[in-house]
Amino acid sequence: MGPMAPWTVAMNTALELAEQALAGGDVPVGAVVLDRDGRVLATAHNRCEVDRDPTAHAEVLALRAAAAATGDVRLEGCTLVVTLEPCTMCAGAVVLSRVARVVLGAWDPKAGACGSVRDVVRDSRLNHRAEVVGGVEEERSARLLREFFAARR
């Protein structure tokens, strides 16, 4: 069993959610929040276009739902599994919610904030840092995004 194996099931769920975002005309990104024991607390997909809300990113929606499910804004010990590397806004939400780990599919070389362009989640100047595990189901995540943007051009 490789190092990515523990996250594959959750990433497959996130990819299914990304497909739902695609069906609604949104950028295909899905997110899952797992508790410290690996149980699903919350799921979401991008809803910016559907909700006409620029902050309705999958990560933000999943973190909100997880906080509601636990009754706590601090998601200590939790893992955020997401198909695309979080942007600066979502990385800030990771820090503020104190998520322990971010597991991502595709890296975002244009706007990523978990190590590619910026590294908000591991910035030593902030009050919390999260572990980053990248490249889980990377090709599937990247392909979904490439196809979405190619169809838009």
Side-chain angles (χ1 to χ4, degrees):
M1 182 180 286
M4 303 300 182
W7 312 117
T8 303
V9 171
M11 186 60 76
N12 285 330
T13 299
L15 282 160
E16 290 170 12
L17 291 159
E19 294 273 359
Q20 292 176 29
L22 182 62
D26 270 288
V27 177
V29 178
V32 176
V33 178
L34 304 172
D35 70 10
R36 67 178 66 246
D37 297 319
R39 292 183 300 252
V40 175
L41 280 175
T43 63
H45 58 77
N46 273 4
R47 295 185 52 88
C48 296
E49 297 298 326
V50 171
D51 293 351
R52 302 289 185 246
D53 178 357
T55 68
H57 290 200
E59 303 94 319
V60 169
L61 297 174
L63 291 170
R64 285 179 186 162
T70 63
D72 195 346
V73 298
R74 290 171 193 81
L75 299 173
E76 294 172 354
C78 292
T79 298
L80 172 66
V81 179
V82 61
T83 58
L84 177 64
E85 179 184 5
C87 68
T88 302
M89 175 184 71
C90 294
V94 165
V95 171
L96 292 173
S97 65
R98 293 186 171 87
V99 166
R101 180 181 307 103
V102 176
V103 175
L104 61 96
W107 293 95
D108 186 346
K110 292 184 180 178
C114 292
S116 61
V117 178
R118 292 171 196 79
D119 202 350
V120 173
V121 300
R122 294 181 289 195
D123 189 323
S124 64
R125 296 168 293 183
L126 299 176
N127 67 337
H128 176 76
R129 281 162 293 291
E131 174 189 1
V132 175
V133 178
V136 178
E137 295 293 329
E138 183 172 10
E139 181 48 37
R140 284 181 59 206
S141 297
R143 184 174 52 250
L144 196 57
L145 290 157
R146 275 193 311 272
E147 290 170 0
F148 172 79
F149 287 111
R152 293 269 192 260
R153 293 185 186 120

